[in-house]
Amino acid sequence: MTTTTFATTATTPSARRAPYGHRTFRELGYICTSLVTAIIGFTWVVALFSIGAGTLVTVVGLPVLALLLAGARGLGRLELHRVHRQLGLPLAAPAPVAVPEGAGFWGRVGARLRDGAGWRAVGYQVLMFPWRVFSFCVAVTLWSTGLALATLPVWNWVFPTYVGWPGYRLFDYTDAHHVHHAYYIASFWQVTRASLVGIGLLLLAAWATHLLTNVSRGAARALLADWSS
């Protein structure tokens, strides 16, 4: 049997260039698109496992579970390709399922059910689903908030011109004692401080993105890659 290796050279982003390097934005793209693949993979695994486990008392259950493993393997290969292209990590895909020569339908089903790589791929889809959702929420929140604050000097004029506020409104409420509280980012120094906070958040977002994708790298190596390579 042969294995497929996705080969590339991984590079470490510089601390000073991290928010602006191509690798950082490829990692961010990976996190954002992972939400879609996570939903697809988790739905596939849960749906087919439920059907297969529920019909094990009949002959239908085993082929359904075999289909589950075949699909999980396919999704695993797609994920290895994404890890290679977007995260810069070369990993070997597991060898194809060994099916005895001349095996009939049930022989192929049995070979699928004994496929350790397929079961690991199933585990990957289940275990990584909450992590991918968490990564998406953290990355999008940090990047969008940081970008909005960092560029505040460019667009803060919109509020006094079109909204009637002196600047960006952080809060405006009346408490239980009927005391009104309001805070606007309006003055030059307030806007400057907010912009510096935004730049800091962008730096933090870049490093958070790298750390979040490191978990994905480790999971792909442990659960999707060929253990014999």
Side-chain angles (χ1 to χ4, degrees), residues 34-227:
S34 287
L35 183 65
V36 177
T37 59
I39 294 172
I40 294 173
F42 187 77
T43 302
W44 173 268
V45 167
V46 170
L48 267 74
F49 184 81
S50 300
I51 296 172
T55 55
L56 275 179
V57 293
T58 69
V59 295
V60 177
L62 294 179
V64 171
L65 291 179
L67 179 62
L68 160 66
L69 296 174
R73 252 185 176 263
L75 291 171
R77 285 185 61 84
L78 172 63
E79 189 63 23
L80 287 176
H81 181 71
R82 294 178 64 242
V83 169
H84 156 231
R85 298 297 300 175
Q86 295 180 277
L87 301 186
L89 179 64
L91 293 171
V97 177
V99 179
E101 214 173 301
F105 174 77
W106 290 108
R108 292 193 296 273
V109 168
R112 282 286 179 190
L113 294 176
R114 294 188 298 270
D115 178 27
W119 286 110
R120 292 198 303 273
V122 169
Y124 178 90
Q125 298 299 334
V126 174
L127 294 175
M128 291 301 291
F129 176 73
W131 178 256
R132 287 169 166 182
V133 174
F134 171 77
S135 298
F136 178 85
C137 294
V138 170
V140 169
T141 299
L142 287 175
W143 280 102
S144 59
T145 304
L147 185 62
L149 289 176
T151 59
L152 186 61
V154 177
W155 55 272
N156 200 46
W157 61 271
V158 170
F159 299 105
T161 304
Y162 295 106
V163 184
W165 300 346
Y168 179 76
R169 185 170 71 181
L170 286 182
F171 57 81
D172 186 350
Y173 70 95
T174 302
D175 62 23
H177 303 288
H178 305 289
V179 178
H180 182 248
H181 303 271
Y183 186 85
Y184 296 86
I185 302 176
S187 71
F188 171 80
W189 293 112
Q190 287 174 319
V191 173
T192 300
R193 287 194 296 269
S195 182
L196 291 175
V197 170
I199 293 172
L201 283 177
L202 289 178
L203 290 168
L204 176 62
W207 281 108
T209 298
H210 183 61
L211 293 174
L212 291 169
T213 52
N214 270 347
V215 174
S216 298
R217 290 182 180 94
R221 182 185 291 111
L223 296 174
L224 298 178
D226 182 17
W227 283 9

